Amino acid sequence: MKALFVNASPRKNWNTFKMLESAMKGAGDSGAETKLIHLYDYNFKGCVSCFACKLKNAKTQGLCAYRDDLRPVLEEALNSDIVVIGSPIYFSYPTGMMRSFLERFIFPIMSYSFGPDGKRLSAIDRKIYSAVIYTMNCPEDLAAKIHYPEYLEPNANAMQTVLGYCETLCAYNTYQFANYDRYEANMFDEKKKAEHREKVFPEDLKKAYELGARLVAKAKAHE
Ligand SMILES: Cc1cc2nc3c(=O)[nH]c(=O)nc-3n(C[C@H](O)[C@H](O)[C@H](O)COP(=O)(O)O)c2cc1C
């Protein structure tokens, strides 16, 4: 069983990566063959609307036809049983890199046609067990108040619809800088941030670990 973890944060060893790493450990400990890639290492665009994947008798079979750095990653994602994407929140939304990846990954799988049984067709005849992990500066109560769940829901909905399964996990109130003293940022209370990092972030990492393990269990059971 293959599980791919996609880091859509430009930072390679920070909050989003750590959540993904923990989910990857959970999946690995449950028997999956795991791999993590950093999206910012790849030079790629979002969907260019060529519609090669929507042609009658399309040869793409769920794989984006556009050839650039991302194509091998998309091929790996399509051949995986589990795909987990991690992204920081930038101005209330996932990063542009995550959105560009998603466009290229799920649009070719999605069909605009219904089959004879009235069900939506798909380029794949199995589920890809997917999840999105978000990390954000915002505390959980404020995130709810300023409608982050509503902004983020469409991403998971699209993945659920096209891939057949999707979960969302959020880590709030993340520690943003290596040294707060060096930055112009007096709206944050560094002590409270550090306390959250010590007490709550390990719980978030545990949730990520459990998410990885749960995805493997679900994929094994074809739930
Ligand atoms: C350009 C930019 C925009 C951001 N916008 C938001 C935001 O709208 N809401 C929020 O809660 N955090 C925001 N953040 C903070 C990050 O989401 C947060 O620090 C995240 O955990 C960073 O992930 P990383 O540690 O993996 O880089 C922003 C950070 C950057 C660099």
Side-chain angles (χ1 to χ4, degrees):
M1 175 170 312
K2 285 190 175 172
L4 181 68
F5 296 80
V6 179
N7 181 16
S9 166
R11 300 202 290 182
K12 287 190 176 169
N13 199 21
W14 277 77
N15 299 289
T16 310
F17 168 77
K18 285 189 177 128
M19 290 290 283
L20 282 169
E21 188 184 42
S22 193
M24 186 163 77
K25 175 111 181 35
D29 288 351
S30 297
E33 185 189 319
T34 61
K35 180 174 179 181
L36 188 143
I37 66 106
H38 298 285
L39 267 191
Y40 281 74
D41 282 348
Y42 297 83
N43 189 10
F44 70 99
K45 293 183 167 74
C47 173
V48 295
S49 206
C50 70
F51 293 120
C53 62
K54 300 288 172 278
L55 285 170
K56 287 184 176 164
N57 303 316
K59 294 190 189 98
T60 56
Q61 291 172 328
L63 181 63
C64 177
Y66 193 81
R67 287 173 192 275
D68 63 5
D69 267 15
L70 193 66
R71 204 154 189 267
V73 177
L74 294 170
E75 210 163 352
E76 277 201 274
L78 190 61
N79 290 326
S80 294
D81 305 285
I82 293 164
V83 174
V84 180
I85 309 172
S87 175
I89 296 303
Y90 285 0
F91 297 105
S92 313
Y93 292 97
T95 59
M97 294 294 260
M98 169 171 153
R99 291 285 306 181
S100 294
F101 171 81
L102 260 193
E103 289 166 12
R104 299 275 303 278
F105 176 38
I106 66 175
F107 191 65
I109 299 172
M110 187 201 96
S111 174
Y112 279 144
S113 288
F114 295 105
D117 57 0
K119 282 194 187 152
R120 188 85 168 253
L121 294 174
S122 170
I124 54 173
D125 57 3
R126 64 191 171 88
K127 287 183 185 178
I128 295 178
Y129 292 82
S130 73
V132 202
I133 297 176
Y134 296 116
T135 74
M136 63 196 85
N137 200 11
C138 195
E140 187 169 3
D141 52 350
L142 180 60
K145 217 187 263 177
I146 59 177
H147 308 290
Y148 279 11
E150 288 107 287
Y151 298 149
L152 301 177
E153 199 179 69
N155 301 297
N157 278 350
M159 289 165 73
Q160 170 74 43
T161 304
V162 177
L163 304 176
Y165 187 87
C166 187
E167 290 191 33
T168 300
L169 175 64
C170 294
Y172 304 93
N173 205 0
T174 53
Y175 201 85
Q176 201 168 3
F177 309 119
N179 179 354
Y180 274 70
D181 289 342
R182 291 187 60 210
Y183 296 90
E184 201 62 71
N186 69 9
M187 67 188 284
F188 305 124
D189 181 336
E190 190 277 333
K191 279 207 178 77
K192 284 197 176 142
K193 282 272 185 195
E195 203 179 296
H196 188 95
R197 183 181 59 179
E198 298 316 312
K199 291 196 177 139
V200 183
F201 195 57
E203 290 168 21
D204 294 331
L205 292 175
K206 188 166 172 273
K207 286 182 196 160
Y209 180 92
E210 289 162 358
L211 168 69
R214 190 165 56 249
L215 290 173
V216 174
K218 288 195 177 282
K220 276 184 187 163
H222 298 287
E223 255 179 47

